Amino acid sequence: MIFSLMMVSAQDFTDKARLLEDASSLDPLITAAGDKKLVLLGEASHGTHEYYVWRDIISRRLIEEHGFNFIAVEGDFASLYKLNQYVKNTEGAGKSAREVLMSLNRWPTWMWANEEVVALAEWLRKHNDALPQKEKVDFYGMDVYDEWHSKEMVLEVLKNTDEASYYYAKQQYNCFEPHKGDSWQYAHAVKGGKEDCAAATARVVEFIRSNREALGALTDDAYFYLLQNAIVVHNAEEFYRESVASKGAASWNSRVFHMFETVGDLLALYGENAKGVVWAHNTHIGDASFTSMRNTGEKNIGQLKRESLGKENVFLIGFASYRGKVIAGSTWGAKMEEMTIPRALRSSVEYKLKKTGLDALYLIFDAEDRKEENLKVMGHRAIGVVYNPQFDRRQFVPTIVPLRYDALLFFKETTALKPLHR
């Protein structure tokens, strides 16, 4: 199927809509999601207060009532590991979640350095303080960015653990030396004929995997931290190189596969009965095979986890709003701004949900919703960290909503995220 907005669903969601008022309103959703191995929580922007708050509410209930072991977010692994140390109160933990998050310095800082994440992290700390160390809930970044910080962490951990291993990894990473922390410069140099560092970064990952005995002084958590940072360096090398050298979906999928594999590594870390929550944009968690992403060969975590774990073990929850405010930048690296999101297109799922008359609601999709007569294509808004409201009509992704998600939360009007101010 080729996805476009030429078709508009006639499905009426009024009878399906469940009023969303407080945490108890979610009882049917928590029941439906609670027995899954993975619950993936989306967002239609990276700067909306309501999306963060309700993902927090859902996550707390899954942790408290159904024993979920970790939260993995669309954020940097090395820098957000400091928040993990705080919520578990391990060695090196900061004094507060606010202090840890205020130290984040890679744009867009507001994605995780915000009041909403402070509230979740402080709750996690309090929740974990009552648990034995092995039962504490983790908070991890799963993205491929911040690779130079990860490289520094690999060398720092090895230097403090095993001198021979440190010198081996340092020798491999010397491949990057001419580029002074600039992955784009590296990628363009490779495109221009310079030898790439893929084999060197792979050797570091394999060395760490093959020499666990030599690194025996490390706890399991510290070893996972070391290995995952090495994997970030390796996969980031591919991501930036593909971004410059390739057309089409190659670079997008490179980043997607990294996040997909990181979530798999976390499930493996916790063992056979592991259960995790994932926070990422709708474009990452809603099954890409039921969107226009399919037209260009782009995959995402939701699709890959349905395929690898089975649909019965994965629950995908999207988020949407009709209009409101959002935090974003006008260009990459620009100063963050509070922007106005205009009313949604008439051909969108957001417009149809507004017509229910409810200010906030959610849908749980079942076999009836997935009957052929209901499987029409609708637009579904997706706002990134870069946004221009003037061109909002370009932001709608053609989608078969009941197949893309297992559930969808909708807000008629949303407010902006609350960034931490330095």
Side-chain angles (χ1 to χ4, degrees):
M1 174 184 288
I2 301 297
F3 285 84
S4 72
L5 287 180
M6 296 300 290
M7 301 168 64
V8 180
S9 170
Q11 186 175 11
D12 183 357
F13 290 115
T14 304
D15 292 340
K16 292 284 299 181
R18 300 170 188 262
L19 182 62
L20 190 57
E21 292 184 302
D22 54 29
S24 65
S25 307
L26 291 168
D27 287 352
L29 181 71
I30 300 301
T31 298
D35 65 342
K36 311 302 182 188
K37 285 193 73 66
L38 275 181
V39 175
L40 284 73
L41 302 175
E43 57 181 354
S45 85
H46 291 305
T48 297
H49 170 75
E50 286 76 9
Y51 301 157
Y52 280 73
V53 166
W54 285 94
R55 290 190 300 185
D56 179 346
I57 291 168
I58 294 169
S59 300
R60 293 188 195 195
R61 291 198 59 182
L62 291 173
I63 290 165
E64 283 192 308
E65 299 169 33
H66 294 280
F68 277 64
N69 305 108
F70 65 84
I71 299 173
V73 304
E74 188 184 342
D76 302 336
F77 180 79
S79 55
L80 283 181
Y81 191 78
K82 295 182 182 301
L83 190 64
N84 191 46
Q85 289 176 304
Y86 174 73
V87 301
K88 294 178 71 177
N89 194 19
T90 58
E91 185 178 352
K95 295 178 182 177
S96 68
R98 185 178 300 274
E99 176 190 80
V100 172
L101 293 170
M102 286 286 284
S103 71
L104 298 181
N105 56 21
R106 193 185 71 79
W107 194 92
T109 55
W110 73 81
M111 268 185 69
W112 302 111
N114 57 63
E115 298 288 353
E116 292 81 353
V117 174
V118 167
L120 170 61
E122 293 295 355
W123 176 86
L124 264 179
R125 171 62 179 264
K126 187 176 180 181
H127 174 82
N128 281 338
D129 280 348
L131 298 173
Q133 199 65 32
K134 286 188 175 182
E135 295 178 21
K136 294 186 177 185
V137 177
D138 281 295
F139 186 101
Y140 284 104
M142 62 175 179
D143 215 333
V144 76
Y145 297 122
D146 205 22
E147 64 283 359
W148 296 93
H149 187 187
S150 282
K151 175 177 167 288
E152 291 170 6
M153 292 302 98
V154 170
L155 295 177
E156 181 179 305
V157 172
L158 289 177
K159 191 173 187 178
N160 295 328
T161 308
D162 182 71
E163 190 174 5
S165 299
Y166 163 72
Y167 282 113
Y168 178 80
K170 191 172 188 296
Q171 181 184 40
Q172 301 305 315
Y173 286 160
N174 280 342
C175 177
F176 291 108
E177 196 61 34
H179 307 291
K180 299 178 182 177
D182 189 333
S183 293
W184 292 114
Q185 182 189 89
Y186 160 76
H188 283 288
V190 171
K191 188 178 182 182
K194 184 191 182 300
E195 186 176 355
D196 68 53
C197 298
T201 58
R203 283 193 290 269
V204 175
V205 173
E206 183 54 35
F207 181 87
I208 293 169
R209 283 182 169 147
S210 303
N211 288 273
R212 179 66 176 100
E213 206 169 295
L215 303 170
L218 295 176
T219 64
D220 288 344
D221 278 357
Y223 177 76
F224 180 80
Y225 177 65
L226 169 66
L227 177 59
Q228 191 59 33
N229 274 309
I231 291 170
V232 168
V233 176
H234 177 57
N235 288 343
E237 184 280 333
E238 178 186 69
F239 167 73
Y240 285 98
R241 180 164 41 82
E242 291 284 6
S243 296
V244 169
S246 305
K247 294 181 179 180
S251 62
W252 170 272
N253 286 343
S254 174
R255 182 175 167 228
V256 163
F257 280 114
H258 172 79
M259 293 191 283
F260 162 74
E261 289 165 1
T262 300
V263 173
D265 290 342
L266 286 168
L267 287 172
L269 182 68
Y270 279 93
E272 185 179 354
N273 299 316
K275 299 167 80 172
V277 178
V278 174
W279 287 28
H281 198 277
N282 287 341
T283 50
H284 288 300
I285 72 94
D287 191 329
S289 58
F290 299 107
T291 76
S292 58
M293 296 168 69
R294 175 177 173 173
N295 300 347
T296 53
E298 292 176 324
K299 300 181 183 296
N300 65 11
I301 312 168
Q303 175 187 354
L304 295 173
K305 285 304 179 187
R306 275 181 170 177
E307 292 171 358
S308 63
L309 296 177
K311 291 181 181 179
E312 69 280 6
N313 292 311
V314 178
F315 201 82
L316 311 180
I317 304 176
F319 286 70
S321 66
Y322 178 67
R323 65 184 180 191
K325 303 286 187 179
V326 68
I327 296 293
S330 58
T331 58
W332 187 268
K335 183 180 179 181
M336 64 182 176
E337 301 176 48
E338 182 176 304
M339 302 180 183
T340 299
I341 304 170
R343 294 180 177 89
L345 298 178
R346 293 178 66 89
S347 58
S348 68
V349 64
E350 288 84 355
Y351 181 81
K352 289 190 172 295
L353 291 173
K354 189 266 295 188
K355 292 183 72 175
T356 64
L358 299 177
D359 289 336
L361 61 90
Y362 70 98
L363 308 168
I364 300 176
F365 300 115
D366 55 25
E368 181 68 26
D369 302 301
R370 291 163 176 167
K371 286 183 177 179
E372 187 173 352
E373 60 265 29
N374 290 325
L375 300 184
K376 306 300 183 183
V377 177
M378 290 182 282
H380 182 22
R381 183 155 43 199
I383 295 172
V385 288
V386 174
Y387 179 56
N388 187 332
Q390 181 182 351
F391 304 117
D392 181 73
R393 63 184 304 107
R394 302 177 185 175
Q395 307 293 135
F396 289 81
V397 178
T399 298
I400 300 177
V401 176
L403 293 178
R404 182 177 180 179
Y405 304 116
D406 296 298
L408 179 68
L409 274 67
F410 170 77
F411 307 89
K412 181 180 176 182
E413 187 155 359
T414 45
T415 57
L417 198 65
K418 300 174 183 175
L420 301 181
H421 294 287
R422 288 166 169 76

